[in-house]
Amino acid sequence: MSAVTGIENISTILVIGAGTMGRQIAMSAALAGYSTIIQDISADGLTAARTELEGWAASRVAKGKLEQGVADAALEKLGYSTDLDTAAATADFVIEAATERLDIKTSIFEKLGVLAPAHAILATNSSTLGSSKVADATGRPAQVCNMHFFNPALVMKCVEVVRHEATSDSTVETTMELARRLGKEPVLINREVPGFIANRLMGAIQREALFLADQGIASIEDIDTTARTALGHPMGPFALMDMVGLDVIDFIAQATHAETGADEDAPNPRVASLVAEGKLGRKSGVGFYDYSNQ
Ligand SMILES: NC(=O)c1ccc[n+]([C@@H]2O[C@H](COP(=O)([O-])OP(=O)(O)OC[C@H]3O[C@@H](n4cnc5c(N)ncnc54)[C@H](O)[C@@H]3O)[C@@H](O)[C@H]2O)c1
């Protein structure tokens, strides 16, 4: 039997990592009324997170999309800390969104197993590491799962909840319900699989798009146009890869290939050579498309 907490007993959420994902996950939790602590080893990272979230709230209020009182209440619910020991001791639910490295995550989960209250659920936002890799380090594997948000986490509705073999039903139920209370539409993945659902679907489309382009069957522009005009996608696969970052696309392919060893998961040479040339997509000004004049 797991001693996991039910949704009604969750009042304090700890988000570990104040980067791209962590800060917006934390704001989603604060907006839902939870006392939320963002913990990061970098004080500068915490300051940057605070500045971005205060700016985000002010701009939403200015556009009439968020009431001033709601924004103020959420910002008041947010605490910032470099001290994991103190932060973890009060957490009912932990969402780890630190740097994507197994050694870092293992050490965090090991500490959480000791520091967090016995009832606390310990979730990871990792895109490529299944929670089974860190579950045993906690001493409470039944209370560990992936809770995978999408970027930008304040906007995207999907949260993939991934259970590993030992994750308890109550951990899954509480995590799914928490996601709903954060205004998300969670989906459940019953078994760990590289890429979960969304990145697998995206990977399949990208693979086919790259195949068509590599074979000279159609231009990247026409493939993107087809995805938009025939399939109703908001943007084509090449534009999307440029937006995500070609280094990220290549990293995900490498991680997936390392895990599955399947030929179809091998990193694409065209993407790898663009990355080697520093052409990373929108963020570097050039990727499949040229953004230097935008
Ligand atoms: N960026 C995305 O689009 C995206 C989407 C979904 C999930 N994810 C996942 O979210 C996680 C974070 O990604 P990100 O893009 O926000 O990364 P990021 O590089 O923007 O932020 C990572 C943060 O973790 C902090 N950190 C590093 N070691 C730490 C430690 N020991 N304790 C506390 N904080 C620590 C860093 O200082 C940094 O602020 C990763 O697991 C990634 O797979 C990322």
Side-chain angles (χ1 to χ4, degrees), residues 1-4 142-143 168 170:
M1 277 288 286
S2 132
V4 67
Q143 288 161 239
S168 71
S170 47

Side-chain angles (χ1 to χ4, degrees), residues 16-22 39-42 45 96-100 104-105 108 124-128 148-151:
I16 299 178
T20 309
M21 295 304 292
Q39 187 272 341
D40 200 294
I41 46 170
S42 159
E96 173 277 318
T99 305
E100 187 73 342
I104 292 177
K105 292 185 190 288
I108 290 171
T124 175
N125 181 50
S126 176
S127 302
T128 63
H148 182 232
F149 291 78
F150 288 80
N151 185 15

Side-chain angles (χ1 to χ4, degrees), residues 26-255:
M27 188 67 178
S28 304
L31 282 166
Y34 291 102
S35 286
T36 308
I37 308 163
I38 312 181
Q39 187 272 341
D40 200 294
I41 46 170
S42 159
D44 288 349
L46 289 169
T47 305
R50 180 179 228 147
T51 305
E52 183 185 304
L53 293 179
E54 288 174 358
W56 177 87
S59 118
R60 299 283 293 176
V61 169
K63 288 180 189 154
K65 292 184 171 163
L66 189 65
E67 282 175 31
Q68 183 75 56
V70 176
D72 290 346
L75 292 172
E76 259 177 44
K77 293 259 175 208
L78 283 174
Y80 298 84
S81 174
T82 53
D83 177 8
L84 181 62
D85 294 34
T86 313
T90 61
D92 302 306
F93 197 105
V94 181
I95 305 170
E96 173 277 318
T99 305
E100 187 73 342
R101 268 181 37 197
L102 183 58
D103 58 336
I104 292 177
K105 292 185 190 288
T106 304
S107 134
I108 290 171
F109 277 83
E110 210 168 57
K111 288 183 195 148
L112 289 173
V114 177
L115 299 167
H119 65 263
I121 290 177
L122 313 176
T124 175
N125 181 50
S126 176
S127 302
T128 63
L129 300 165
S131 68
S132 62
K133 293 205 160 64
V134 293
D136 286 340
T138 66
R140 56 177 101 170
Q143 288 161 239
V144 177
C145 65
N146 286 75
M147 185 181 194
H148 182 232
F149 291 78
F150 288 80
N151 185 15
L154 276 161
V155 177
M156 301 294 278
K157 289 275 177 210
C158 188
V159 171
E160 293 175 324
V161 176
V162 190
R163 69 189 306 164
H164 65 88
E165 273 188 8
T167 307
S168 71
D169 290 344
S170 47
T171 295
V172 168
E173 279 156 26
T174 303
T175 306
M176 299 281 285
E177 185 52 27
L178 178 64
R180 285 183 203 104
R181 293 192 183 197
L182 302 194
K184 306 302 183 193
E185 283 184 41
V187 294
L188 176 60
I189 297 165
N190 291 310
R191 213 168 57 225
E192 289 185 348
V193 59
F196 308 147
I197 299 175
N199 284 336
R200 287 187 81 85
L201 292 178
M202 195 168 78
I205 292 169
Q206 284 167 1
R207 233 180 352 261
E208 187 59 30
L210 284 160
F211 170 79
L212 292 171
D214 287 347
Q215 297 294 308
I217 291 165
S219 67
I220 63 170
E221 290 83 357
D222 281 354
I223 295 167
D224 274 358
T225 299
T226 309
R228 284 187 282 105
T229 56
L231 305 179
H233 293 186
M235 69 174 76
F238 292 100
L240 181 59
M241 285 188 271
D242 273 355
M243 196 179 83
V244 171
L246 299 183
D247 51 339
V248 176
I249 297 292
D250 193 46
F251 174 80
I252 291 173
Q254 286 181 38

Side-chain angles (χ1 to χ4, degrees), residues 9-33:
N9 297 322
I10 294 176
S11 61
T12 300
I13 294 179
L14 166 63
V15 177
I16 299 178
T20 309
M21 295 304 292
R23 59 183 70 173
Q24 295 213 2
I25 294 170
M27 188 67 178
S28 304
L31 282 166

